[in-house]
Amino acid sequence: QSALTQPASVSGSPGQSITISCSGTSSDIDDYKYVSWYQQHPGKAPRLIIYDVTNRPSEVSTRFSGSQSGNTASLTISGLQADDEADYYCSSYTDSTAWVFGGGTKLTVL
Amino acid sequence: EVPLVESGGGLVQPGGSLRLSCAASGFTFSSYWMHWVRQAPGKGLEWVSCIKSDGSTIYADSVKGRFTISRDNAKNTLFLQMSSLRAEDTAVYYCARDKYYHLDVWGEGTTVTVSS
């Protein structure tokens, strides 16, 4: 089970928008619509922020949005805030009936 | 009330065994698929195993044959029996609830250290 590919790090200034990509294959992201995104602050458990590619839990800010094009899913955070500084992970259900995570992206708010 | 609370982590020697538990509360445990996900020190998340509501199980290749996931619906508890432990199994182990292929509730994690 190979991991999905994410950039190691991204950065942005407060108020700006950033996008984190998550590249898979036709066996995972493209075949299924079960891409999810998780936010993890240091020393804390992961928190679901996007599911089924574009859906957002009710308690998650509308500044977070998800999209997909072919084998690549993306997470966009608009209006960056200091508290957005965290690690972000994508995940997908695969055709081998297993789940796989991306390697994670560290977001730095400058 | 915290929905998921893991326990059972600790220090174990290579080749040893350990059983993790995850106590669930506040939802109908028996109706949900449940997962274990781990995170090695300074590393990313790694999916470990899933048990469906019907009791069927799935494992990552890295733990297949060594780890066993199980559940006790009467006690609202998820388990992970780990054997033949290796240094590379050292990680924080999280249990998480599956809500149709995404993990919507996570525990705080329990730390497993495999070292002599």
PDB file of all heavy atoms in Angstrom, chain A residues 43-64:
ATOM      1  N   GLY A  43       1.257  17.315  18.851  1.00  0.00           N
ATOM      2  CA  GLY A  43       0.874  16.632  20.077  1.00  0.00           C
ATOM      3  C   GLY A  43      -0.598  16.325  20.211  1.00  0.00           C
ATOM      4  O   GLY A  43      -1.037  15.830  21.261  1.00  0.00           O
ATOM      5  N   LYS A  44      -1.356  16.596  19.160  1.00  0.00           N
ATOM      6  CA  LYS A  44      -2.805  16.374  19.210  1.00  0.00           C
ATOM      7  C   LYS A  44      -3.216  15.268  18.233  1.00  0.00           C
ATOM      8  O   LYS A  44      -2.467  14.896  17.337  1.00  0.00           O
ATOM      9  CB  LYS A  44      -3.555  17.661  18.850  1.00  0.00           C
ATOM     10  CG  LYS A  44      -3.267  18.810  19.806  1.00  0.00           C
ATOM     11  CD  LYS A  44      -3.765  18.518  21.198  1.00  0.00           C
ATOM     12  CE  LYS A  44      -3.615  19.736  22.098  1.00  0.00           C
ATOM     13  NZ  LYS A  44      -4.070  19.434  23.495  1.00  0.00           N
ATOM     14  N   ALA A  45      -4.434  14.769  18.424  1.00  0.00           N
ATOM     15  CA  ALA A  45      -4.985  13.782  17.507  1.00  0.00           C
ATOM     16  C   ALA A  45      -5.416  14.464  16.205  1.00  0.00           C
ATOM     17  O   ALA A  45      -5.745  15.657  16.201  1.00  0.00           O
ATOM     18  CB  ALA A  45      -6.183  13.085  18.145  1.00  0.00           C
ATOM     19  N   PRO A  46      -5.441  13.733  15.116  1.00  0.00           N
ATOM     20  CA  PRO A  46      -5.952  14.298  13.859  1.00  0.00           C
ATOM     21  C   PRO A  46      -7.423  14.671  13.995  1.00  0.00           C
ATOM     22  O   PRO A  46      -8.160  14.102  14.815  1.00  0.00           O
ATOM     23  CB  PRO A  46      -5.758  13.146  12.861  1.00  0.00           C
ATOM     24  CG  PRO A  46      -4.690  12.298  13.459  1.00  0.00           C
ATOM     25  CD  PRO A  46      -4.914  12.375  14.938  1.00  0.00           C
ATOM     26  N   ARG A  47      -7.826  15.605  13.141  1.00  0.00           N
ATOM     27  CA  ARG A  47      -9.211  16.092  13.128  1.00  0.00           C
ATOM     28  C   ARG A  47      -9.681  16.110  11.691  1.00  0.00           C
ATOM     29  O   ARG A  47      -8.991  16.646  10.815  1.00  0.00           O
ATOM     30  CB  ARG A  47      -9.254  17.496  13.722  1.00  0.00           C
ATOM     31  CG  ARG A  47     -10.565  18.247  13.571  1.00  0.00           C
ATOM     32  CD  ARG A  47     -10.321  19.742  13.780  1.00  0.00           C
ATOM     33  NE  ARG A  47     -11.506  20.552  13.574  1.00  0.00           N
ATOM     34  CZ  ARG A  47     -11.474  21.826  13.193  1.00  0.00           C
ATOM     35  NH1 ARG A  47     -10.315  22.433  12.995  1.00  0.00           N
ATOM     36  NH2 ARG A  47     -12.591  22.512  13.041  1.00  0.00           N
ATOM     37  N   LEU A  48     -10.849  15.529  11.431  1.00  0.00           N
ATOM     38  CA  LEU A  48     -11.415  15.499  10.087  1.00  0.00           C
ATOM     39  C   LEU A  48     -11.855  16.905   9.680  1.00  0.00           C
ATOM     40  O   LEU A  48     -12.587  17.572  10.421  1.00  0.00           O
ATOM     41  CB  LEU A  48     -12.628  14.555  10.064  1.00  0.00           C
ATOM     42  CG  LEU A  48     -13.420  14.476   8.761  1.00  0.00           C
ATOM     43  CD1 LEU A  48     -12.605  13.764   7.681  1.00  0.00           C
ATOM     44  CD2 LEU A  48     -14.742  13.765   8.997  1.00  0.00           C
ATOM     45  N   ILE A  49     -11.420  17.365   8.478  1.00  0.00           N
ATOM     46  CA  ILE A  49     -11.853  18.667   8.001  1.00  0.00           C
ATOM     47  C   ILE A  49     -12.567  18.611   6.645  1.00  0.00           C
ATOM     48  O   ILE A  49     -13.345  19.511   6.322  1.00  0.00           O
ATOM     49  CB  ILE A  49     -10.673  19.671   7.930  1.00  0.00           C
ATOM     50  CG1 ILE A  49      -9.507  19.119   7.091  1.00  0.00           C
ATOM     51  CG2 ILE A  49     -10.202  20.058   9.332  1.00  0.00           C
ATOM     52  CD1 ILE A  49      -8.386  20.130   6.873  1.00  0.00           C
ATOM     53  N   ILE A  50     -12.309  17.585   5.853  1.00  0.00           N
ATOM     54  CA  ILE A  50     -12.991  17.406   4.569  1.00  0.00           C
ATOM     55  C   ILE A  50     -13.219  15.913   4.359  1.00  0.00           C
ATOM     56  O   ILE A  50     -12.329  15.110   4.645  1.00  0.00           O
ATOM     57  CB  ILE A  50     -12.160  17.951   3.388  1.00  0.00           C
ATOM     58  CG1 ILE A  50     -11.994  19.469   3.475  1.00  0.00           C
ATOM     59  CG2 ILE A  50     -12.795  17.557   2.035  1.00  0.00           C
ATOM     60  CD1 ILE A  50     -13.252  20.275   3.199  1.00  0.00           C
ATOM     61  N   TYR A  51     -14.389  15.538   3.850  1.00  0.00           N
ATOM     62  CA  TYR A  51     -14.650  14.141   3.504  1.00  0.00           C
ATOM     63  C   TYR A  51     -15.376  14.067   2.168  1.00  0.00           C
ATOM     64  O   TYR A  51     -15.980  15.052   1.728  1.00  0.00           O
ATOM     65  CB  TYR A  51     -15.429  13.432   4.611  1.00  0.00           C
ATOM     66  CG  TYR A  51     -16.844  13.953   4.823  1.00  0.00           C
ATOM     67  CD1 TYR A  51     -17.935  13.340   4.216  1.00  0.00           C
ATOM     68  CD2 TYR A  51     -17.084  15.059   5.646  1.00  0.00           C
ATOM     69  CE1 TYR A  51     -19.220  13.821   4.408  1.00  0.00           C
ATOM     70  CE2 TYR A  51     -18.357  15.548   5.842  1.00  0.00           C
ATOM     71  CZ  TYR A  51     -19.427  14.920   5.223  1.00  0.00           C
ATOM     72  OH  TYR A  51     -20.704  15.392   5.421  1.00  0.00           O
ATOM     73  N   ASP A  52     -15.308  12.882   1.544  1.00  0.00           N
ATOM     74  CA  ASP A  52     -15.913  12.677   0.223  1.00  0.00           C
ATOM     75  C   ASP A  52     -15.527  13.801  -0.742  1.00  0.00           C
ATOM     76  O   ASP A  52     -16.372  14.352  -1.446  1.00  0.00           O
ATOM     77  CB  ASP A  52     -17.435  12.583   0.341  1.00  0.00           C
ATOM     78  CG  ASP A  52     -17.882  11.371   1.139  1.00  0.00           C
ATOM     79  OD1 ASP A  52     -17.026  10.518   1.458  1.00  0.00           O
ATOM     80  OD2 ASP A  52     -19.080  11.281   1.449  1.00  0.00           O
ATOM     81  N   VAL A  53     -14.260  14.124  -0.746  1.00  0.00           N
ATOM     82  CA  VAL A  53     -13.608  15.093  -1.646  1.00  0.00           C
ATOM     83  C   VAL A  53     -13.929  16.539  -1.308  1.00  0.00           C
ATOM     84  O   VAL A  53     -13.031  17.365  -1.188  1.00  0.00           O
ATOM     85  CB  VAL A  53     -13.965  14.829  -3.131  1.00  0.00           C
ATOM     86  CG1 VAL A  53     -13.270  15.852  -4.044  1.00  0.00           C
ATOM     87  CG2 VAL A  53     -13.579  13.419  -3.540  1.00  0.00           C
ATOM     88  N   THR A  54     -15.234  16.853  -1.187  1.00  0.00           N
ATOM     89  CA  THR A  54     -15.620  18.268  -1.077  1.00  0.00           C
ATOM     90  C   THR A  54     -16.460  18.607   0.150  1.00  0.00           C
ATOM     91  O   THR A  54     -16.730  19.784   0.397  1.00  0.00           O
ATOM     92  CB  THR A  54     -16.433  18.692  -2.317  1.00  0.00           C
ATOM     93  OG1 THR A  54     -17.616  17.874  -2.382  1.00  0.00           O
ATOM     94  CG2 THR A  54     -15.634  18.511  -3.591  1.00  0.00           C
ATOM     95  N   ASN A  55     -16.876  17.609   0.910  1.00  0.00           N
ATOM     96  CA  ASN A  55     -17.809  17.874   2.015  1.00  0.00           C
ATOM     97  C   ASN A  55     -17.071  18.284   3.289  1.00  0.00           C
ATOM     98  O   ASN A  55     -15.992  17.775   3.594  1.00  0.00           O
ATOM     99  CB  ASN A  55     -18.670  16.643   2.277  1.00  0.00           C
ATOM    100  CG  ASN A  55     -19.610  16.355   1.122  1.00  0.00           C
ATOM    101  OD1 ASN A  55     -20.119  17.272   0.485  1.00  0.00           O
ATOM    102  ND2 ASN A  55     -19.825  15.083   0.845  1.00  0.00           N
ATOM    103  N   ARG A  56     -17.694  19.147   4.027  1.00  0.00           N
ATOM    104  CA  ARG A  56     -17.092  19.701   5.239  1.00  0.00           C
ATOM    105  C   ARG A  56     -17.998  19.424   6.426  1.00  0.00           C
ATOM    106  O   ARG A  56     -19.193  19.728   6.385  1.00  0.00           O
ATOM    107  CB  ARG A  56     -16.897  21.213   5.046  1.00  0.00           C
ATOM    108  CG  ARG A  56     -16.154  21.950   6.113  1.00  0.00           C
ATOM    109  CD  ARG A  56     -16.002  23.429   5.750  1.00  0.00           C
ATOM    110  NE  ARG A  56     -17.282  24.004   5.374  1.00  0.00           N
ATOM    111  CZ  ARG A  56     -17.597  24.401   4.133  1.00  0.00           C
ATOM    112  NH1 ARG A  56     -16.708  24.300   3.158  1.00  0.00           N
ATOM    113  NH2 ARG A  56     -18.791  24.913   3.881  1.00  0.00           N
ATOM    114  N   PRO A  57     -17.456  18.830   7.525  1.00  0.00           N
ATOM    115  CA  PRO A  57     -18.270  18.683   8.740  1.00  0.00           C
ATOM    116  C   PRO A  57     -18.800  20.045   9.186  1.00  0.00           C
ATOM    117  O   PRO A  57     -18.143  21.076   8.980  1.00  0.00           O
ATOM    118  CB  PRO A  57     -17.274  18.109   9.761  1.00  0.00           C
ATOM    119  CG  PRO A  57     -16.227  17.436   8.930  1.00  0.00           C
ATOM    120  CD  PRO A  57     -16.111  18.272   7.690  1.00  0.00           C
ATOM    121  N   SER A  58     -19.956  20.044   9.815  1.00  0.00           N
ATOM    122  CA  SER A  58     -20.623  21.300  10.154  1.00  0.00           C
ATOM    123  C   SER A  58     -19.782  22.189  11.057  1.00  0.00           C
ATOM    124  O   SER A  58     -19.895  23.420  11.008  1.00  0.00           O
ATOM    125  CB  SER A  58     -21.975  21.008  10.810  1.00  0.00           C
ATOM    126  OG  SER A  58     -21.801  20.205  11.959  1.00  0.00           O
ATOM    127  N   GLU A  59     -18.929  21.575  11.886  1.00  0.00           N
ATOM    128  CA  GLU A  59     -18.154  22.369  12.837  1.00  0.00           C
ATOM    129  C   GLU A  59     -16.864  22.939  12.243  1.00  0.00           C
ATOM    130  O   GLU A  59     -16.161  23.696  12.911  1.00  0.00           O
ATOM    131  CB  GLU A  59     -17.815  21.533  14.074  1.00  0.00           C
ATOM    132  CG  GLU A  59     -16.873  20.362  13.811  1.00  0.00           C
ATOM    133  CD  GLU A  59     -17.580  19.096  13.353  1.00  0.00           C
ATOM    134  OE1 GLU A  59     -18.747  19.195  12.915  1.00  0.00           O
ATOM    135  OE2 GLU A  59     -16.947  18.021  13.428  1.00  0.00           O
ATOM    136  N   VAL A  60     -16.572  22.601  11.011  1.00  0.00           N
ATOM    137  CA  VAL A  60     -15.341  23.064  10.369  1.00  0.00           C
ATOM    138  C   VAL A  60     -15.603  24.371   9.612  1.00  0.00           C
ATOM    139  O   VAL A  60     -16.628  24.515   8.938  1.00  0.00           O
ATOM    140  CB  VAL A  60     -14.785  21.991   9.406  1.00  0.00           C
ATOM    141  CG1 VAL A  60     -13.593  22.528   8.601  1.00  0.00           C
ATOM    142  CG2 VAL A  60     -14.369  20.753  10.196  1.00  0.00           C
ATOM    143  N   SER A  61     -14.655  25.286   9.709  1.00  0.00           N
ATOM    144  CA  SER A  61     -14.788  26.594   9.073  1.00  0.00           C
ATOM    145  C   SER A  61     -14.964  26.477   7.558  1.00  0.00           C
ATOM    146  O   SER A  61     -14.373  25.615   6.906  1.00  0.00           O
ATOM    147  CB  SER A  61     -13.539  27.433   9.366  1.00  0.00           C
ATOM    148  OG  SER A  61     -13.513  28.605   8.576  1.00  0.00           O
ATOM    149  N   THR A  62     -15.767  27.375   7.020  1.00  0.00           N
ATOM    150  CA  THR A  62     -15.992  27.420   5.564  1.00  0.00           C
ATOM    151  C   THR A  62     -14.745  27.872   4.815  1.00  0.00           C
ATOM    152  O   THR A  62     -14.711  27.852   3.585  1.00  0.00           O
ATOM    153  CB  THR A  62     -17.162  28.353   5.228  1.00  0.00           C
ATOM    154  OG1 THR A  62     -16.889  29.655   5.770  1.00  0.00           O
ATOM    155  CG2 THR A  62     -18.466  27.827   5.822  1.00  0.00           C
ATOM    156  N   ARG A  63     -13.705  28.264   5.536  1.00  0.00           N
ATOM    157  CA  ARG A  63     -12.449  28.631   4.891  1.00  0.00           C
ATOM    158  C   ARG A  63     -11.726  27.417   4.313  1.00  0.00           C
ATOM    159  O   ARG A  63     -10.809  27.561   3.505  1.00  0.00           O
ATOM    160  CB  ARG A  63     -11.530  29.349   5.876  1.00  0.00           C
ATOM    161  CG  ARG A  63     -12.089  30.643   6.431  1.00  0.00           C
ATOM    162  CD  ARG A  63     -11.085  31.362   7.343  1.00  0.00           C
ATOM    163  NE  ARG A  63     -10.703  30.575   8.502  1.00  0.00           N
ATOM    164  CZ  ARG A  63      -9.539  29.941   8.629  1.00  0.00           C
ATOM    165  NH1 ARG A  63      -8.616  30.024   7.665  1.00  0.00           N
ATOM    166  NH2 ARG A  63      -9.279  29.258   9.723  1.00  0.00           N
ATOM    167  N   PHE A  64     -12.144  26.225   4.733  1.00  0.00           N
ATOM    168  CA  PHE A  64     -11.544  24.993   4.244  1.00  0.00           C
ATOM    169  C   PHE A  64     -12.418  24.420   3.121  1.00  0.00           C
ATOM    170  O   PHE A  64     -13.635  24.285   3.286  1.00  0.00           O
ATOM    171  CB  PHE A  64     -11.423  23.948   5.360  1.00  0.00           C
ATOM    172  CG  PHE A  64     -10.446  24.325   6.446  1.00  0.00           C
ATOM    173  CD1 PHE A  64     -10.863  25.103   7.527  1.00  0.00           C
ATOM    174  CD2 PHE A  64      -9.129  23.915   6.394  1.00  0.00           C
ATOM    175  CE1 PHE A  64      -9.971  25.453   8.534  1.00  0.00           C
ATOM    176  CE2 PHE A  64      -8.228  24.251   7.389  1.00  0.00           C
ATOM    177  CZ  PHE A  64      -8.659  25.034   8.462  1.00  0.00           C
TER     178      PHE A  64
END
